[in-house]
Amino acid sequence: MANFTLFRLARFIRSIFVPTASIIAFSCILSFVFILYQPTPGPGSIQRLGWQSWEVVNEYVGQASTTQGASEDLEYPAAGNNIPSGVDWWNVTTGSDTVDTASLPLDIWDPLMQHDTGLSEIHITECMVDPFFVPYIAPDLCYPSTTKQDDALKGKWVRVERNLKEQLGFKSLNVFYRRTRRHDIPLVTELRVLPDKETPSPFSSAWNRVAHPINPAGEKRYLWYKTDRTWRDMTEAERRTDIVTEIDVIFGSDEPWYGFDRANAAAFDGTDKKEPVWLTYRKGVKPPPRAPPLHFSRDGKFKIMQVADLHYSVSVGSCRDTILNPCTGSDNLTSTLLGRMLDAEKPDLVVFTGDQLNGQGTSWDSQSVLAKFSKAVTQRGIPWAAVFGNHDDEDGLDRKTQIEYMKGLPYSLVETGPEDIHGVGNYVLKVWSADPSKTHLLTLYFLDSGAYYAGIMGWFGFQPTEYDFIRQDQIDWFLQESSSIDAIQRPFTPDTGKDLGDMWARQSADQVVPSTRRLAKPNALMFFHIPMAESYAAADIDPVTGRTLDVGEHDLEEPGNAKRQDGFFHKGLLQATESDHTAGGRATEVKVVSNGHCHLTENCRRVKGVWLCFGGGGSYSGYGKVGFDRRFRIYDISDYGETIRTYKRTEHDEIVDEMVVAGRGAPKPYEGEL
């Protein structure tokens, strides 16, 4: 009996051994993987070991975040978060603009990257193939010859993706350079473009002449570069000011990209039908200055200037429909006019509402045009935003590439927007109070209304027949953004703060705001290029005066709206109200929609409570009408966002069609059916 019992016990133990051992082993593996095994990720987890450096795998490495949320959380900390005494909150940054130059790839040409690494050698190569086709045929086609030893010492050849022969046929003439981080290789510190048989003065053995001429046509000119010092031979100050860190090419006679200088002479002087070609270069690191966060003044004011339809070209532009005589270089004349308007108005924000580029075969080099269209604004240190029009990407770069360049310009607030909806450049900017509470007081929506919805293919390519419109996914995005905005107590009263004494009380003593207080979203303005059909619908009637609420010129040209639509006005604008509470009424969050596109239309018309306004033509390069002044629309916002006044300033400094569209003095709110 005992033997039988022991046998059964042994058999039982044997039967449970395998599953028990399996469970224990599996538990040990899980414990090791999830508890005991805690690897420490090295730089290889986010970087790859590349040629001469650790290189972050990112197309736009070092660029600051462009999302609104990131800018609020990282760049502009909320009031009270370690702000030094006596410093305004909007002047406090976290230093995230610092670029890790050691992570920038050395074998990619991108003038937006702020390299501090110098160039070691320059070459020019002519090729029978246009550079557009090179990546599809062979990536290294037409590159200068090299060896592995030279690549290791001086760096790999990098092609400047700007064809010097862009205007002169199918051949390509490209500048190449090497970039190195070695401290024992002489670096480029000077560039000269000189005629054949002429040498730099004073001459030394450090000067090197590129074997192939730099000029795409005409008299031979050669590029000379000086390599007389290595990295370790220079002081820290000399490294920041003397080393050539990037090369670019610009077409036309306008200013180069921010941070770049022209060579001493043009590579090509141009002709009546061809634009000049210039080699440009940057020394050291010159990151563009960033705009501070948008904020009201301490007495509750904020001003926006709308700039519509500049229609700039690679050339200096051709005047259209103006009494100016003589009128040459219309782009330059427009920039001068814009500068005068900016000095007169002193806006806190400038909004370009599309067709910054003329398209139509004249803005074939988009980068050259992008370098100049906002110059009058950036020179004055004014923050600016922009949306696309129907002409902006007709030639040259697509919208996604253009917006990356615009983000790289000084004081730009442009954002790419979400990639999963129609268009490029759908984004939101917020304007804050100046007091320590940093309260969101005004919302600015920017949408891409597209270019052309349909067209036909002719002998000369796509011929547009219908304008584009705001799509359903953009409507959904707008409603989502609107719903995420928190209500504030309106009208707003600034936080007087004990540490500020009676300063706020003194500065806001003259402010007269409505006495009725309520919880509601801040007022909002919206900007896009192509108008909606409702911009031409019947206007609301002022119940007090009995007049139609329609002020300004709108009969000088045909309507410019799209023939098709997804119902943005009714499904979007009218659904986004100030308050979800029934007691809040039906007041819409967006008080004004401001468009461009129609140069001779500059009216403001209220439709179902929403003001639909046009900027009017402000450029001598775009079509107009003799006797119809170029003009710019202004939005003068006061009472901490409660009151919105608009008017236009003409080229003769006349203020026309001044009116209040929201707040004190505005027509009675709309009470009809939505």
Side-chain angles (χ1 to χ4, degrees):
M1 189 67 163
N3 292 337
F4 179 76
T5 303
L6 291 174
F7 175 78
R8 294 186 63 181
L9 177 62
R11 188 172 62 180
F12 171 76
I13 293 174
R14 186 180 62 182
S15 66
I16 66 172
F17 177 80
V18 173
T20 303
S22 299
I23 293 173
I24 294 173
F26 185 67
S27 300
C28 291
I29 292 174
L30 292 179
S31 299
F32 177 79
V33 171
F34 292 103
I35 299 176
L36 299 178
Y37 179 64
Q38 295 293 334
T40 301
S45 65
I46 58 172
Q47 299 173 321
R48 59 183 173 85
L49 184 59
W51 163 76
Q52 287 198 2
S53 68
W54 288 95
E55 298 170 8
V56 175
V57 186
N58 191 320
E59 183 179 359
Y60 290 99
V61 62
Q63 298 293 319
S65 174
T66 57
T67 61
Q68 180 70 16
S71 64
E72 293 169 23
D73 297 337
L74 299 178
E75 296 301 322
Y76 317 128
N81 292 347
N82 300 319
I83 296 178
S85 176
V87 178
D88 294 318
W89 64 261
W90 60 83
N91 288 325
V92 178
T93 62
T94 60
S96 63
D97 284 342
T98 302
V99 177
D100 179 13
T101 55
S103 68
L104 299 180
L106 303 186
D107 52 356
I108 295 177
W109 179 80
D110 185 346
L112 295 180
M113 285 196 273
Q114 294 292 330
H115 276 286
D116 64 355
T117 310
L119 311 186
S120 61
E121 189 175 358
I122 302 175
H123 196 82
I124 294 176
T125 298
E126 187 171 23
C127 187
M128 294 298 295
V129 181
D130 187 280
F132 175 81
F133 300 104
V134 168
Y136 305 100
I137 300 174
D140 295 332
L141 184 67
C142 303
Y143 271 56
S145 60
T146 188
T147 64
K148 291 184 178 180
Q149 182 180 6
D150 284 342
D151 285 351
L153 292 174
K154 299 180 180 180
K156 294 182 179 180
W157 285 115
V158 179
R159 178 168 62 90
V160 176
E161 298 176 4
R162 314 272 285 153
N163 182 8
L164 293 163
K165 284 195 170 182
E166 180 74 26
Q167 309 169 86
L168 302 170
F170 292 100
K171 287 186 179 181
S172 71
L173 184 64
N174 283 95
V175 179
F176 290 79
Y177 62 74
R178 298 182 191 264
R179 186 190 299 277
T180 182
R181 286 196 173 100
R182 292 182 62 101
H183 290 186
D184 58 343
I185 299 296
L187 301 177
V188 177
T189 56
E190 289 189 50
L191 295 172
R192 301 272 182 85
V193 174
L194 299 173
D196 190 15
K197 300 181 180 179
E198 187 174 325
T199 59
S201 178
F203 185 77
S204 70
S205 59
W207 282 102
N208 306 272
R209 193 186 83 163
V210 179
H212 194 285
I214 192 174
N215 56 305
E219 175 193 12
K220 286 186 178 180
R221 298 176 186 176
Y222 287 88
L223 173 64
W224 291 78
Y225 62 94
K226 189 177 185 180
T227 52
D228 59 340
R229 289 174 292 168
T230 66
W231 177 275
R232 65 188 177 194
D233 293 333
M234 302 182 193
T235 65
E236 187 63 32
E238 289 174 333
R239 293 167 187 164
R240 291 195 298 266
T241 59
D242 294 356
I243 296 177
V244 175
T245 56
E246 192 57 86
I247 293 178
D248 198 0
V249 173
I250 191 170
F251 298 88
S253 302
D254 293 290
E255 294 297 314
W257 195 259
Y258 176 80
F260 284 76
D261 295 308
R262 295 180 186 275
N264 62 296
F268 175 61
D269 291 329
T271 64
D272 291 340
K273 297 183 179 179
K274 307 297 181 183
E275 297 302 319
V277 183
W278 291 82
L279 184 73
T280 66
Y281 62 94
R282 182 178 63 217
K283 283 191 173 184
V285 179
K286 297 178 181 177
R290 295 193 60 188
L294 300 176
H295 59 278
F296 280 82
S297 64
R298 288 187 171 86
D299 57 353
K301 296 180 180 180
F302 188 80
K303 183 183 288 188
I304 301 172
M305 175 185 284
Q306 179 186 359
V307 179
D309 298 85
L310 289 176
H311 283 270
Y312 279 4
S313 303
V314 177
S315 69
V316 293
S318 300
C319 293
R320 300 186 60 181
D321 307 321
T322 177
I323 60 174
L324 293 181
N325 187 21
C327 185
T328 58
S330 58
D331 290 1
N332 295 335
L333 289 174
T334 301
S335 292
T336 301
L337 172 64
L338 176 56
R340 184 158 56 85
M341 299 293 102
L342 293 169
D343 292 338
E345 291 292 341
K346 295 180 173 55
D348 300 294
L349 174 70
V350 171
V351 177
F352 296 93
T353 50
D355 283 359
Q356 288 78 240
L357 279 63
N358 186 55
Q360 305 171 83
T362 70
S363 52
W364 43 270
D365 183 64
S366 304
Q367 186 178 331
S368 295
V369 187
L370 291 171
K372 68 174 180 175
F373 87 84
S374 64
K375 188 76 69 174
V377 178
T378 60
Q379 287 175 342
R380 289 163 173 79
I382 303 173
W384 60 276
V387 293
F388 286 115
N390 53 295
H391 288 297
D392 285 305
D393 59 344
E394 284 183 343
D395 311 323
L397 301 174
D398 59 33
R399 297 186 178 214
K400 187 173 182 179
T401 306
Q402 283 190 37
I403 211 164
E404 292 298 334
Y405 276 107
M406 284 196 284
K407 285 158 55 178
L409 287 169
Y411 305 105
S412 171
L413 293 171
V414 175
E415 297 182 11
T416 306
E419 296 185 357
D420 57 348
I421 67 172
H422 185 79
V424 178
N426 301 287
Y427 58 102
V428 182
L429 297 178
K430 299 175 182 178
V431 188
W432 312 89
S433 65
D435 68 332
S437 71
K438 191 195 171 191
T439 303
H440 170 198
L441 298 180
L442 181 70
T443 309
L444 305 174
Y445 292 100
F446 302 86
L447 281 83
D448 181 4
S449 56
Y452 304 102
Y453 174 73
I456 59 175
M457 293 302 296
W459 287 102
F460 300 101
F462 181 83
Q463 299 176 12
T465 57
E466 292 186 27
Y467 291 124
D468 209 342
F469 52 93
I470 294 174
R471 308 299 184 89
Q472 181 62 52
D473 56 0
Q474 292 174 285
I475 299 174
D476 297 337
W477 170 83
F478 162 66
L479 292 175
Q480 180 179 356
E481 291 293 325
S482 175
S483 65
S484 68
I485 294 175
D486 294 330
I488 63 172
Q489 184 169 298
R490 295 176 51 188
F492 171 78
T493 301
D495 179 5
T496 56
K498 292 181 180 180
D499 57 329
L500 299 178
D502 62 347
M503 178 179 65
W504 283 99
R506 294 197 313 268
Q507 293 186 344
S508 61
D510 296 332
Q511 294 295 312
V512 180
V513 295
S515 58
T516 303
R517 306 189 72 82
R518 67 193 190 283
L519 284 176
K521 297 176 187 175
N523 282 333
L525 282 76
M526 180 176 288
F527 300 90
F528 53 88
H529 183 70
I530 300 175
M532 302 172 290
E534 285 76 13
S535 293
Y536 305 94
D540 295 344
I541 303 297
D542 189 331
V544 177
T545 64
R547 297 178 179 177
T548 57
L549 296 176
D550 188 355
V551 179
E553 186 59 65
H554 55 82
D555 294 326
L556 297 179
E557 60 185 330
E558 293 295 319
N561 60 286
K563 297 178 181 178
R564 304 184 58 161
Q565 62 170 314
D566 277 349
F568 178 60
F569 183 79
H570 289 88
K571 294 159 60 177
L573 291 171
L574 298 187
Q575 301 307 312
T577 56
E578 283 186 351
S579 174
D580 295 332
H581 197 279
T582 55
R586 292 178 299 179
T588 57
E589 176 198 5
V590 176
K591 299 301 186 293
V592 182
V593 174
S594 206
N595 303 119
H597 190 56
C598 302
H599 306 186
L600 300 177
T601 302
E602 40 90 273
N603 67 311
C604 270
R605 173 180 302 183
R606 200 181 80 174
V607 179
K608 295 187 180 299
V610 181
W611 287 94
L612 308 176
C613 301
F614 290 84
S619 174
Y620 298 114
S621 300
Y623 76 84
K625 182 180 177 64
V626 175
F628 185 81
D629 289 349
R630 267 56 179 186
R631 59 200 61 209
F632 302 89
R633 181 171 289 281
I634 307 297
Y635 292 100
D636 190 8
I637 305 159
S638 58
D639 298 337
Y640 303 99
E642 290 297 319
T643 302
I644 303 174
R645 181 172 65 102
T646 186
Y647 56 89
K648 288 154 290 187
R649 180 180 285 272
T650 74
E651 60 183 304
H652 292 107
D653 285 314
E654 295 177 331
I655 304 298
V656 297
D657 296 337
E658 184 174 0
M659 58 189 297
V660 178
V661 296
R664 291 184 296 143
K668 188 177 179 180
Y670 179 75
E671 296 181 352
E673 294 184 1
L674 300 178

